[in-house]
Amino acid sequence: MNLQQLIKIAKKLVVNGKGLLAMDESNPTINKRFAALGIPQTEETRRAYREIIVTTPGLRDCISGAILYDETVHQTLTDGTPFVKAVIQAGIIPGIKVDTGAKDMAGHPGEKITEGLDGLRERLVEYYQMGILFAKWRAVITIGDGIPSRACIEANAHALARYAALCQEVGLVPVVEPEVLMDGSHSLGRCEEVTEEVLRTVFYQLYVQGVKLEGLILKSNMVLPGLKCPTQESVDLVADITVKCLLRAVPAAVQGITFLSGGQTSELASARLNAMNVRFKAKVPWELSFSFARAIQQPGMGIWHGKSDNVLAAQQALYHRAWCNRAARRGEYNDSMER
Ligand code: 13P
């Protein structure tokens, strides 16, 4: 492992004013989003859509790294350029999702365990040889009646730590993602409690496995009330509770925290990230950044609708969301940018 190299890449991924673009939806997930918009769900539409993303002019102004999906890294643009090369040529660091999905956890109804450790070392070497420099693994934690269980939290944290150690061995920066889901009617306080427990467990396992925190990015959920919770706290309160929770559980050595959007509206995701940076940027040890999929992509995907006539407008919408989040990174985002 070359720690200095990992640190250099991790710092570039969270450089001021830029963030990550997650475009690593699995086939079932992107097909579901296409189906909801009436877009055909084929290998070619997925390729064409992702070509629109990576050829968006000026994306590098706001996006430091793009997380790709295995299908995409084996595809090319219309002109024959492989996707990984196209991303590099666009001035963006290519990354990849390497887990193989969250599956039902044995003996734990309603809970998931993420798979993908078998053969992972060999896959990571292959990705590294393609020019990919970072890798993401997502664990899913559900809040509900009597859950999450310790069994689910510990099994997922252990898998995250084993994947992260393999990444660093190969020279890839791990983007460690334990996602506490927004689904449900739980309160903000319950999400705070669960997020803290999950993060403490993940960092303990990373320590046990010898993962170097300086060469790692945390991808976290914001601390939010459940989507069905009747009480939805203000943007500033969400920002305060989220950062206070992270301060208790995330070591200062970590280079940056990149939030997932998790089903929030694009505008709320930007506003909450902005509030965190306005209130805490000067006081926290890490960069507070984004690694959004839906909150960057969704408006543009809706405009595209699978039609070539709409490509330019879709790219403008995508760029606009990236630009709003670039502003949020700096604490300079406001409502007027949405008009
Ligand atoms: P969302 O921003 O749509 O939650 O996706 C982020 C992500 O990559 C989940 O793994």
Side-chain angles (χ1 to χ4, degrees), residues 21-25 33 67 97 99 136-139 177 179 219 259-264 291-298:
L21 168 59
M23 49 182 289
D24 61 332
E25 299 85 356
R33 291 185 191 153
I67 313 173
K97 166 213 200 61
D99 66 74
K136 182 192 102 172
W137 178 291
R138 173 173 177 256
E177 180 183 16
E179 174 176 4
K219 175 160 175 169
F259 294 100
L260 58 99
S261 56
Q264 307 173 63
S291 176
F292 298 153
R294 280 164 289 182
I296 295 181
Q297 292 185 48
Q298 210 58 31

Side-chain angles (χ1 to χ4, degrees), residues 144-216:
D145 227 6
I147 58 172
S149 64
R150 261 324 276 176
C152 175
I153 294 173
E154 286 188 16
N156 275 294
H158 184 254
L160 277 166
R162 286 192 53 202
Y163 125 86
L166 282 164
C167 284
Q168 290 192 333
E169 178 188 273
V170 170
L172 298 170
V173 170
V175 174
V176 172
E177 180 183 16
E179 174 176 4
V180 178
L181 294 177
M182 289 176 75
D183 301 336
S185 55
H186 55 269
S187 65
L188 179 76
R190 178 75 181 127
C191 181
E192 179 185 15
E193 196 176 87
V194 171
T195 301
E196 181 173 343
E197 181 180 356
V198 168
L199 290 173
R200 284 180 183 277
T201 310
V202 167
F203 281 100
Y204 174 69
Q205 288 293 338
L206 290 167
Y207 166 69
V208 172
Q209 297 300 324
V211 176
K212 303 288 181 270
L213 300 186
E214 294 82 351
L216 165 153

